[in-house]
Amino acid sequence: MVDAVPMIVPMTATLNDRRQRVCILGATGSIGVNTLDVISRHPDRFEVWAISGASRVPELFAQCLQWRPRFAVMPDVAKAAELRQQVRAAGLPTEVLEGEQALCDVASHADVDVVMGAIVGAAGLAPCLAAARAGKRLLLANKEALVVGGGLFMQAVAEGGATLVPIDSEHSAIFQCLPEDPRTWAQRVDHIVLTASGGPFRDRDPATFASITPDQACAHPNWVMGRKISVDSATMMNKALEVIEARWLFGLTPQQIKVVLHPQSIVHSMVVCRDRSVLAQLGTPDMRVPIAYGLSWPQRIESGADLLDFTQLKALTFDTPDARRYPGLQLAWETLLAAPGHTCVLNAANEVAVEAFLQGRIRFDQIHQVNAQTLSDCRVPAGAAESVANLLALDADARRVAQGVAAGCGGPA
């Protein structure tokens, strides 16, 4: 393991007796909605103190009506004004804030105990960093925060004394299989195995991928997720990003992270110990389980998920990912072994490529082409990963390059 990586959680982290004030960044997405569902089952333990949404004014207003948070934030000024008008007309006590800085302000506010970082993409980096520096219990569902700025992010966690708990089902599974004391991990763990469902095209002929539509790519067989994450699952770029995330969360070398296909999504990931024992976390594919664990760690609370019935399991199967079907997966190890900053480029390129696919500007099979070509064409300067400003500049440059690559793909036939 990499000794320089800070501990994932301080050993003193624990819940106190009063209700925990929760800030949910990305409240209208699937993770945010599931977080609110778990909180609704424990009104004596949690209070919704702040929520944010990117663009869905009706959904965020409905959440304001139900939860009456102290703050609601929308990055877009016009959307915030629309929400503010509705909140005032309803006589709610919620104050509507606007802009990117407002996300950081509520995430780091002195009154906040727990921050759910569920904003999709690089946009979640700054508010998650703010929460880490302020020493919050940070439930990290935004894998891009670590993909873009892993070293800086873990440094902020250590220096701020934050409690970092992963929410991705795979990383939560690894976390649940590890001892509570991170100082023992290096002596116990040989490697980890991240499981992947394989998405909706795990049995489809790769020769037909050019005709895949956005709706087909978003129809995940096991999980209910947003459209961007669903496409990432179909290409398995979500797993590539999770490999990068795991390197930072658990202090692993790239060689200590393996990936296997597990179509049933029952075994959520595994830890292979030095004595060759294998510890696995199993459960129904329901994001409320890792969310409940993150909210209550090191305790456990009711999540609302169905109980796993072993008598109904016909088989648990595992296989090696097919490189023809998932060519982007290998980019995880390639960028981790390259100079710092390349993972930032990969994330930016993938966000551009997925958006272009969802908008019908490129084909499904061209997503990998955009990602690989952007990595080849984008210059990563020395010191690119040494500051947030440098990373944001690199992110912007990578997006510009990726847009050019996508424009040159020709798009759907």
Side-chain angles (χ1 to χ4, degrees):
M1 289 196 177
V2 180
D3 294 335
V5 176
M7 293 194 302
I8 189 171
V9 290
M11 295 313 299
T12 55
T14 185
L15 290 175
N16 56 33
D17 293 333
R18 68 167 174 79
R19 287 205 306 168
Q20 301 290 288
R21 300 188 184 99
V22 183
C23 169
I24 305 175
L25 303 173
T28 58
S30 60
I31 295 295
V33 169
N34 278 314
T35 301
L36 289 169
D37 181 86
V38 174
I39 288 175
S40 72
R41 301 169 189 277
H42 305 278
D44 57 324
R45 298 187 66 146
F46 304 105
E47 170 190 349
V48 179
W49 190 86
I51 56 178
S52 82
S55 59
R56 302 174 187 171
V57 173
E59 288 92 334
L60 201 61
F61 174 64
Q63 291 176 347
C64 288
L65 278 174
Q66 179 178 358
W67 296 98
R68 303 171 72 86
R70 176 69 182 84
F71 293 106
V73 185
M74 302 200 80
D76 183 82
V77 174
K79 296 288 186 182
E82 182 181 349
L83 178 64
R84 187 177 296 111
Q85 183 179 15
Q86 295 182 23
V87 165
R88 287 175 177 172
L92 298 176
T94 302
E95 181 179 351
V96 178
L97 305 177
E98 60 195 40
E100 302 291 342
Q101 183 57 46
L103 293 172
C104 297
D105 292 342
V106 295
S108 60
H109 198 284
D111 290 345
V112 170
D113 300 299
V114 181
V115 175
M116 168 58 79
I119 296 175
V120 176
L125 174 60
C128 286
L129 269 173
R133 288 168 175 156
K136 305 302 181 184
R137 172 185 290 242
L138 177 56
L139 313 185
L140 191 65
N142 174 270
K143 61 174 64 69
E144 292 84 358
L146 283 169
V147 173
V148 173
L152 283 174
F153 193 88
M154 295 307 291
Q155 182 180 353
V157 169
E159 292 177 352
T163 302
L164 182 61
V165 184
I167 297 300
D168 272 350
S169 61
E170 296 82 1
H171 301 97
S172 176
I174 298 297
F175 187 54
Q176 292 181 55
C177 290
L178 291 170
E180 288 185 10
D181 186 349
R183 292 170 296 189
T184 68
W185 294 354
Q187 289 74 40
R188 297 189 182 205
V189 177
D190 183 80
H191 66 276
I192 67 171
V193 180
L194 302 178
T195 57
S197 70
F201 310 129
R202 58 186 173 233
D203 298 317
R204 179 164 173 159
D205 184 353
T208 69
F209 277 14
S211 63
I212 289 172
T213 68
D215 285 344
Q216 290 172 333
C218 291
H220 196 282
N222 299 344
W223 299 91
V224 177
M225 304 180 292
R227 287 174 71 80
K228 194 269 181 184
I229 299 175
S230 295
V231 174
D232 281 347
S233 178
T235 62
M236 263 180 71
M237 276 304 300
N238 71 321
K239 207 56 52 178
L241 300 179
E242 287 168 13
V243 168
I244 298 168
E245 184 182 9
R247 176 264 181 270
W248 293 107
L249 281 171
F250 307 115
L252 300 166
T253 65
Q255 295 81 2
Q256 288 180 289
I257 309 169
K258 318 294 181 183
V259 173
V260 297
L261 287 184
H262 173 53
Q264 296 81 21
S265 295
I266 297 297
V267 177
H268 297 301
S269 279
M270 296 167 275
V271 173
V272 180
C273 302
R274 288 181 180 268
D275 63 2
R276 297 303 185 259
S277 297
V278 180
L279 308 177
Q281 188 263 335
L282 285 70
T284 52
D286 191 322
M287 285 306 300
R288 290 177 295 179
V289 173
I291 289 169
Y293 187 70
L295 285 168
S296 63
W297 182 89
Q299 305 168 22
R300 289 185 183 265
I301 58 175
E302 170 63 36
S303 68
D306 291 336
L307 186 66
L308 182 63
D309 186 351
F310 285 94
T311 66
Q312 298 302 309
L313 297 180
K314 294 181 174 57
L316 296 178
T317 62
F318 303 90
D319 201 358
T320 302
D322 182 354
R324 297 173 305 152
R325 187 171 279 108
Y326 310 112
L329 181 59
Q330 185 59 33
L331 295 176
W333 290 274
E334 292 179 10
T335 54
L336 279 173
L337 294 171
H342 281 82
T343 58
C344 175
V345 173
L346 175 60
N347 178 74
N350 187 61
E351 288 189 19
V352 169
V354 171
E355 182 181 14
F357 167 67
L358 289 173
Q359 293 176 352
R361 293 187 283 113
I362 66 172
R363 301 191 310 266
F364 179 83
D365 62 326
Q366 292 174 326
I367 293 175
H368 174 64
Q369 179 182 338
V370 172
N371 292 341
Q373 192 63 46
T374 301
L375 280 168
S376 176
D377 293 351
C378 187
R379 188 181 71 87
V380 179
E386 293 180 0
S387 72
V388 174
N390 288 355
L391 284 169
L392 293 178
L394 178 59
D395 176 83
D397 189 46
R399 289 172 190 274
R400 177 188 58 78
V401 173
Q403 292 285 5
V405 175
C409 284

